[in-house]
Amino acid sequence: MTQRLPPSLTPLDTALAALLRGVDPIAPMEVPCAEAAGCIAAGTPLLAARPSHDIAAADGWALRANDLVGASSYSPLPLTSAPVWVEAGDAMPAGSDCVLDADAVEVSGPLVQVLAEGVPGQGVRRAGSDIAEGAPAGAEGHPVGAADLLMARVAGLEKLGVRRPRLHIVNVPGATATTHMVAGLARAAGLDVETRHARARDEASIADVLDASSCDHLLMIGGSGVGRHDAAITALAQRGEVMAHGLALQPGRTAAVGRLGQVPVVALPGSPDHALAAWLALVLPLVDRLSARRPRRRVTLPLARKVASGVGIAEIALLAGEHRAWMPLAVGEWPLQAIVRADAWLHIPASHEGFAAGTPVDAHLLRE
């Protein structure tokens, strides 16, 4: 039996509310630092101060700045004994608060003289200057970045606490390029991704790989349309529940949302532009709910030109940042070139006819 869309499309807000209903953040887990990049920080430990005491930041002579007032090459300051030589990373000797370069101290037999002044802290890394006492290993609810990983490794941590939802992707034959794109986006969002491939496009072959027993959410990619060989939605109905198929969203009209048991499911169209739009409008909010992520960053800029939209259908516009303004690249239908050039996306609600040129709009960044 050929799939059909319902007589009336489901509003995006209604479909999203159904998808998120009953979905709670998953429990935090500890993962090796090498696997934590992009995951959402959760329950990260508080770090001890680093360095734990003052250390030399450069190779040189450890001295007390107040003892060097007036010293210069024209008026050398004699010392009764040679100062302590320190290497970068060495603990500062008691009573010293600066490190002078090698040529600032002249040693000739028993004669030692200083040829330059110093200031407190010169050539010294203060206790707690790299990591303050009690600093978290990552900002709760935010993605773990390279700087967070650097701090964790400097502090000697091998694991970090994160939320990393498990995602199963079902690739329906004919949507392989789109599946690779979505899998890449998912990994960049900090998800634990496993891809499974249906043997064929028929209902039974797709249903065979619909297994949500070991994942937190499931994506089906391809076969969600109304073509003669599309059967992803009937396969989902066979194994679980279809809550909405046919959304008032452009691109992304043939996307669907459902459940396999308690696991939320999103069926993405096989076309890259329609799949990406549904990913932004449906999957990212689900991912953020599962990982307890803080609200994503938006950037407000005026539109460089008018964006027109039809009432009754939510549309997503792709934008490029140009001259401190958002330049619309595509609305409703997205050429691949527009996807490549885009810096941000804008949700145009179904109740809007668009935005006039010069209107400030809050756009979501595609790459944070």
Side-chain angles (χ1 to χ4, degrees), residues 102-267:
D103 56 5
V105 176
E106 188 177 82
V107 180
S108 179
L111 178 63
V112 180
Q113 50 188 3
V114 182
L115 310 179
E117 291 184 318
V119 295
Q122 176 180 333
V124 177
R125 194 178 296 276
R126 296 294 194 186
S129 59
D130 284 334
I131 302 176
E133 181 72 32
E140 187 84 12
H142 291 276
V144 175
D148 300 314
L149 293 174
L150 174 62
M151 288 183 64
R153 288 177 172 128
V154 167
L157 297 183
E158 296 183 356
K159 294 184 177 182
L160 284 177
V162 300
R163 286 189 173 92
R164 183 172 63 172
R166 300 164 299 168
L167 169 65
H168 283 181
I169 296 177
V170 171
N171 175 35
V172 175
T176 300
T178 300
T179 296
H180 284 303
M181 175 191 74
V182 172
L185 292 171
R187 292 189 180 94
L191 305 183
D192 182 1
V193 180
E194 178 183 334
T195 301
R196 299 175 179 179
H197 303 273
R199 297 188 312 274
R201 293 178 62 86
D202 61 276
E203 179 182 330
S205 297
I206 298 172
D208 280 346
V209 291
L210 293 183
D211 179 11
S213 60
S214 59
C215 67
D216 300 301
H217 61 127
L218 186 144
L219 293 182
M220 307 167 67
I221 303 179
S224 69
V226 294
R228 293 181 178 179
H229 302 291
D230 288 332
I233 309 306
T234 55
L236 176 58
Q238 176 187 327
R239 295 292 304 275
E241 175 189 4
V242 177
M243 297 185 297
H245 176 218
L247 308 184
L249 172 68
Q250 191 63 18
R253 186 171 65 102
T254 64
V257 298
R259 285 278 197 281
L260 276 178
Q262 299 301 312
V263 175
V265 178
V266 180

Side-chain angles (χ1 to χ4, degrees), residues 23-28 38-42 140-143 162-165 189-191 216-217 284-294 296:
V23 175
D24 296 315
I26 64 171
C39 298
I40 304 304
E140 187 84 12
H142 291 276
V162 300
R163 286 189 173 92
R164 183 172 63 172
L191 305 183
D216 300 301
H217 61 127
L284 279 189
L286 173 60
V287 169
D288 291 352
R289 174 71 64 85
L290 287 167
S291 56
R293 178 181 170 134
R294 302 287 185 185
R296 293 174 180 267

